[in-house]
Amino acid sequence: IWLNADAARLEQVLLNLLTNAAKYTEENGQVWITVEPVSYFSDGVSGECVIRVRDNGVGIAPTLIPLIFDLFTQAERSLDRSQGGLGIGLALVQRLTLLHEGSIEVSSILGQGSEFVLRLPLLSGEWPITKAGRSVASTLVVRRLRVLLVDDNIDTILSFSMLLTECGHDVQTAHDGFTGLQAALAYQPDVALLDIGLPGLNGYEVASRIRMEPTLKNIVLVAMTGYGQDSDRQSSLDAGFDHHLVKPACFEDVKQILATISMAL
């Protein structure tokens, strides 16, 4: 089955799906993966490759299924918190699939397992084959940016780091206000995504101190917080933030901000 695809990225997708299937399937359970071409037309060429990853594990609660690909799906929503949540890689799985002009969907029965269905376009004569080694993500960035991500939520750090890296940016991270400020001084980022509720120095304090540093005068500051009242946005503005995003932040909004910065530099 021939696809116009980035093999390394599809490997990431499948490893994420198989890892989650194994994680939420009990010992002696089963995991299946099937691959088949589905033709749209009688020529047998135009169509899609359908990959199914299925397990007979714990399943997914119906209320969680609409959120399964969100960046901020938390461990507290899973059936067993000791298993570490429903996999922060699923947001990346969806993003990489969309980059390949594909789609992914999930179905599940609680206690009986889950199935993820990945659909990717088959290679047709109309599509040029990309040169070996070319990454899909390489076409996304107008200019590579240095991005500092400061958040005490490990899931947020890992998810956003993966997605930003896949978009071609350089990323450094910190987990509290003090180390975030130190990282900003040392790394000299183009943009900093700062959580407000940080231990040590909160996001407002970090932003205010950054604005007092002459070497960081051109940095773009993006607040990421669970609060979105007008007063919260004003507090962000007063502290020196350029943008205010309410969690769970939409990655498309982050991408748009970064694209604007890229074109302006």
Side-chain angles (χ1 to χ4, degrees):
I1 302 174
W2 292 95
L3 308 175
N4 188 29
D6 185 317
R9 301 301 173 236
L10 288 189
E11 180 181 357
Q12 285 181 280
V13 168
L14 293 175
L15 282 177
N16 269 296
L17 294 178
L18 289 169
T19 298
N20 276 339
K23 182 187 298 183
Y24 294 100
T25 302
E26 301 293 337
E27 188 175 356
N28 298 321
Q30 292 180 293
V31 175
W32 298 266
I33 181 168
T34 61
V35 184
E36 62 178 347
V38 176
S39 297
Y40 291 152
F41 307 109
S42 58
D43 59 14
V45 176
S46 303
E48 58 191 10
C49 171
V50 180
I51 303 173
R52 300 176 186 272
V53 177
R54 182 166 62 93
D55 64 73
N56 62 351
V58 298
I60 305 168
T63 54
L64 187 56
I65 288 179
L67 308 173
I68 200 67
F69 296 109
D70 288 357
L71 285 174
F72 293 94
T73 299
Q74 297 292 327
E76 287 78 4
R77 292 173 175 169
S78 67
L79 292 175
D80 184 352
R81 291 180 59 183
S82 66
Q83 297 187 58
L86 280 167
I88 60 171
L90 288 178
L92 181 61
V93 165
Q94 185 185 54
R95 178 63 184 157
L96 292 177
T97 301
L98 292 174
L99 286 174
H100 284 83
E101 303 296 331
S103 65
I104 186 166
E105 57 190 28
V106 60
S107 60
S108 180
I109 298 177
L110 200 58
Q112 297 183 33
S114 306
E115 182 180 59
F116 286 82
V117 181
L118 176 67
R119 301 178 184 274
L120 299 167
L122 293 176
L123 182 64
S124 71
E126 298 176 358
W127 297 355
I129 299 176
T130 56
K131 294 181 180 179
R134 179 183 177 187
S135 169
V136 173
S138 66
T139 62
L140 296 180
V141 181
V142 176
R143 178 183 181 276
R144 183 186 297 270
L145 297 175
R146 295 188 304 277
V147 181
L148 175 63
L149 177 60
V150 186
D151 201 303
D152 61 337
N153 184 295
I154 300 301
D155 284 358
T156 302
I157 287 283
L158 291 176
S159 298
F160 263 102
S161 294
M162 286 189 292
L163 289 168
L164 289 168
T165 300
E166 288 302 323
C167 288
H169 299 296
D170 294 319
V171 182
Q172 286 200 12
T173 62
H175 301 282
D176 61 69
F178 287 112
T179 56
L181 182 58
Q182 292 172 347
L185 292 170
Y187 181 47
Q188 294 288 303
D190 299 302
V191 57
L193 308 176
L194 303 177
D195 181 27
I196 297 300
L198 293 169
L201 297 175
N202 64 39
Y204 296 133
E205 293 170 318
V206 174
S208 296
R209 296 196 185 191
I210 285 177
R211 289 303 181 207
M212 290 188 290
E213 291 291 336
T215 58
L216 296 173
K217 63 180 181 179
N218 294 322
I219 188 175
V220 176
L221 298 180
V222 182
M224 296 198 302
T225 174
Y227 300 97
Q229 301 287 339
D230 289 341
S231 58
D232 302 311
R233 296 180 184 276
Q234 186 60 50
S235 295
S236 293
L237 185 64
D238 294 341
F241 282 100
D242 301 288
H243 303 276
H244 184 105
L245 299 180
V246 179
K247 290 185 176 181
C250 175
F251 188 67
E252 291 301 318
D253 292 338
V254 175
K255 274 187 58 186
Q256 183 60 49
I257 292 171
L258 296 182
T260 302
I261 297 169
S262 293
M263 291 184 287
L265 293 177

